């Protein structure tokens, strides 16, 4: 889709996942057994044939850069265009921009050199399989200046301190943002905008000392801009807190949620790692669980998600838990409602128990 370029803006996203974001930004947090949160939005962009994609990041981005590399896993290692990871590296002595507007000002070359005349801007905290090509066609059909994506879902799990709702009139125009918990129109931090308008609004916001493009540049001008809305009705998980991360992960153990996220006709792409198949040793028991490749299972695993290369020794019991890459759970250890980050070793006969609403979390690279 040569008319649409993408920006994954991580600058405004808070690191709200506790121990899981001690050493990485939220976009790099593992999810679903073998993916990172950024994989879902990046795959959606690639599946819409977008070939110019930038990632705006400010802090804790080493893990993210290692994961994305040159974009080859997403077929974005192009001679022209492709994937651009744009951390802060700003040397303009005349720059007066603030907040996320610094990214738009100091990376203006990304937009100037791009061939597209529209920009899709989104984040990484909304896990979905949205068709961005359909969103863009809706944008062109309505001849909008801006098209804002939302989901009408009164029961969506999100942190009300940070989630935003859209006020939509009878014509489908987005007129305002709201913090009203009774408003069912959940704003997905995603919108399409004309590139020239985007750059004009950036300059206007900077000149007035503003920090945020969407809130202070777009929605405050709703009376003069044609801002239409696009209602997305598919799978959506909002990962903006540790409880939401855990509970949305556990939902993937149901056939319905698993199929909605993973069994799409369009591929879900991630960094390729060559691992052997999982080995289930004699005496092991696995029930209703999602296991990636490379695991060795000797103990019992129930209602849990295990990432690549996890080892569960005989006599170990894992229930309702998320175990990330290369963890070792030694014999006799019991885990319930637990999240183990990468490269953790739990020695023999330990017991860790959390709650469904507040799982027990262990930061990566620890021995307990």
């Amino acid at each position: 889709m040569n008319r649409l370029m993408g920006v994954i803006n991580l600058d405004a996203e808070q690191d709200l996942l506790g121990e899981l974001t001690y050493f990485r930004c939220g976009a790099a947090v593992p999810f679903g057994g073998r993916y990172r949160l950024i994989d879902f939005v990046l795959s959606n962009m690639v599946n819409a044939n977008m070939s110019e994609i930038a990632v705006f990041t400010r802090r804790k981005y080493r893990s993210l850069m290692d994961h994305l590399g040159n974009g080859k896993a997403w077929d974005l290692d192009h001679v022209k265009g492709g994937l651009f990871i744009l951390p802060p590296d700003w040397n303009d002595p005349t720059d007066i921009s603030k907040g996320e507007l610094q990214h738009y000002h100091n990376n203006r070359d990304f937009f100037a050199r791009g061939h597209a005349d529209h920009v899709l801007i989104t984040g990484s905290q909304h896990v979905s399989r949205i068709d961005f090509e359909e969103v863009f066609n809706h944008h062109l059909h309505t001849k909008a200046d801006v098209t804002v994506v939302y989901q009408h879902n009164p029961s969506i799990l999100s942190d009300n301190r940070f989630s935003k709702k859209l006020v939509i009139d009878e014509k489908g125009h987005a007129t305002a943002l709201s913090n009203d918990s009774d408003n069912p129109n959940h704003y997905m931090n995603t919108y399409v905008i004309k590139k020239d308008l985007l750059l004009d609004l950036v300059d206007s916001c900077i000149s007035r000392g503003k920090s945020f493009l969407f809130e202070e540049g777009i929605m405050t001008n709703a009376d003069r801009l044609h801002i239409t809305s696009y209602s997305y009705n598919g799978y959506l998980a909002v990962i903006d807190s540790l409880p939401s991360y855990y509970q949305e992960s556990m939902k993937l153990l149901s056939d319905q949620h698993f199929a909605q996220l993973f069994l799409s006709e369009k591929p879900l792409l991630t960094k390729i790692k060559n691992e052997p198949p999982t080995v289930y040793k004699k005496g092991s028991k696995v029930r209703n669980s999602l296991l990636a490749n490379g695991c060795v299972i000797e103990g019992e695993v129930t209602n849990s998600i295990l990432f690549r290369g996890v080892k569960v020794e005989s006599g170990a019991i894992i229930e309702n838990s998320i175990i990330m890459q290369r963890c070792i759970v030694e014999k006799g250890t019991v885990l319930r409602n637990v999240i183990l980050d990468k490269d953790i070793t739990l020695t023999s006969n330990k017991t860790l128990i959390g709650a469904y609403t507040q799982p027990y979390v262990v930061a990566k690279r620890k021995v307990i």
Side-chain angles (χ1 to χ4, degrees):
M1 196 190 306
N2 294 329
R3 295 193 62 189
L4 187 64
M5 62 200 312
V7 171
I8 304 174
N9 181 14
L10 307 180
D11 187 81
E13 295 187 352
Q14 304 293 319
D15 295 332
L16 301 172
L17 303 187
E19 290 86 345
L20 302 183
T21 48
Y22 277 0
F23 308 105
R24 58 166 82 89
C25 63
V29 170
F31 185 78
R34 58 185 297 130
Y35 303 95
R36 305 291 182 114
L37 287 179
I38 199 170
D39 289 339
F40 298 90
V41 62
L42 195 54
S43 295
N44 293 339
M45 287 180 165
V46 171
N47 289 332
N49 299 313
M50 297 170 62
S51 59
E52 298 171 328
I53 302 172
V55 180
F56 289 171
T57 185
R58 187 184 293 267
R59 56 195 173 273
K60 293 188 283 189
Y61 48 80
R62 185 207 60 78
S63 178
L64 182 67
M65 294 180 69
D66 176 70
H67 178 68
L68 296 178
N70 65 352
K72 182 178 180 179
W74 298 267
D75 193 27
L76 289 171
D77 53 336
H78 302 165
V79 175
K80 295 183 179 180
L83 181 66
F84 299 82
I85 304 172
L86 302 174
D89 182 21
W90 306 326
N91 302 294
D92 181 0
T94 67
D95 180 21
I96 60 171
S97 59
K98 298 189 300 183
E100 68 172 6
L101 294 173
Q102 290 179 295
H103 288 282
Y104 293 99
H105 174 77
N106 289 282
N107 293 306
R108 204 176 182 97
D109 280 354
F110 168 73
F111 300 102
R113 295 175 182 176
H115 298 291
D117 53 10
H118 289 75
V119 184
L120 182 141
I121 300 172
T122 187
S124 69
Q125 293 178 322
H126 290 74
V127 176
S128 75
R129 300 307 307 274
I130 188 170
D131 186 339
F132 285 138
E133 191 167 10
E134 185 175 300
V135 175
F136 185 53
N137 288 335
H138 175 81
H139 174 79
L140 296 177
H141 177 73
T142 58
K143 300 180 180 179
D145 296 316
V146 184
T147 296
V148 185
V149 180
Y150 75 100
Q151 183 171 93
H152 183 90
N153 187 345
S155 61
I156 198 164
L157 179 64
S158 65
D159 190 326
N160 288 326
R161 295 174 301 165
F162 303 99
S163 62
K164 299 291 185 182
K165 309 298 178 67
L166 279 180
V167 179
I168 301 171
D169 66 17
E170 64 280 0
K171 296 181 179 179
H173 297 158
T175 60
L177 281 176
S178 168
N179 292 315
D180 182 3
S181 59
D182 294 328
N183 185 335
N185 298 323
H186 184 89
Y187 169 50
M188 290 175 56
N189 289 341
T190 301
Y191 58 97
V192 176
I193 184 171
K194 297 176 181 178
K195 183 169 70 174
D196 290 344
L197 176 60
L198 165 68
L199 298 177
D200 287 344
L201 290 173
V202 166
D203 291 341
S204 175
C205 285
I206 292 173
S207 69
R208 293 182 290 118
K210 305 301 182 182
S211 299
F212 300 100
L213 176 61
F214 186 74
E215 294 89 339
E216 299 177 311
I218 295 175
M219 294 312 298
T220 56
N221 290 297
D223 57 337
R224 69 178 185 86
L225 294 175
H226 179 196
I227 306 176
T228 192
S229 60
Y230 176 89
S231 177
Y232 168 66
N233 300 314
Y235 175 93
L236 177 64
V238 184
I239 310 300
D240 60 359
S241 68
L242 197 54
S244 68
Y245 172 84
Y246 175 74
Q247 293 170 36
E248 294 293 354
S249 294
M250 291 295 101
K251 287 180 182 179
L252 296 177
L253 298 178
S254 78
D255 292 342
Q256 178 185 358
H257 286 87
F258 182 89
Q260 286 179 330
L261 184 58
F262 295 119
L263 302 185
S264 169
E265 293 181 0
K266 296 184 178 180
L268 182 56
L269 305 169
T270 189
K271 181 180 179 179
I272 296 172
K273 293 183 179 179
N274 296 317
E275 297 274 2
T278 287
V279 176
Y280 301 90
K281 295 291 187 71
K282 184 177 181 180
S284 64
K285 297 179 180 179
V286 178
R287 307 177 187 88
N288 191 41
S289 296
L290 179 61
L291 278 66
N293 47 329
C295 297
V296 177
I297 310 299
E298 299 175 345
E300 297 185 22
V301 180
T302 304
N303 297 329
S304 296
I305 298 173
L306 274 58
F307 285 71
R308 295 181 177 101
V310 173
K311 183 175 181 180
V312 181
E313 294 187 353
S314 61
I317 298 174
I318 299 175
E319 298 177 355
N320 305 316
S321 296
I322 301 170
I323 314 299
M324 295 188 188
Q325 297 96 308
R326 299 183 299 276
C327 287
I328 299 173
V329 182
E330 294 186 354
K331 60 184 180 180
T333 288
V334 177
L335 304 178
R336 293 190 178 95
N337 302 113
V338 170
I339 301 175
L340 299 185
D341 206 338
K342 296 168 53 177
D343 299 309
I344 292 172
T345 297
L346 293 182
T347 57
S348 301
N349 301 313
K350 299 295 185 295
T351 298
L352 301 179
I353 298 178
Y356 183 74
T357 55
Q358 193 62 50
Y360 190 104
V361 185
V362 182
K364 66 181 180 179
R365 299 193 180 96
K366 290 185 179 294
V367 177
I368 298 177

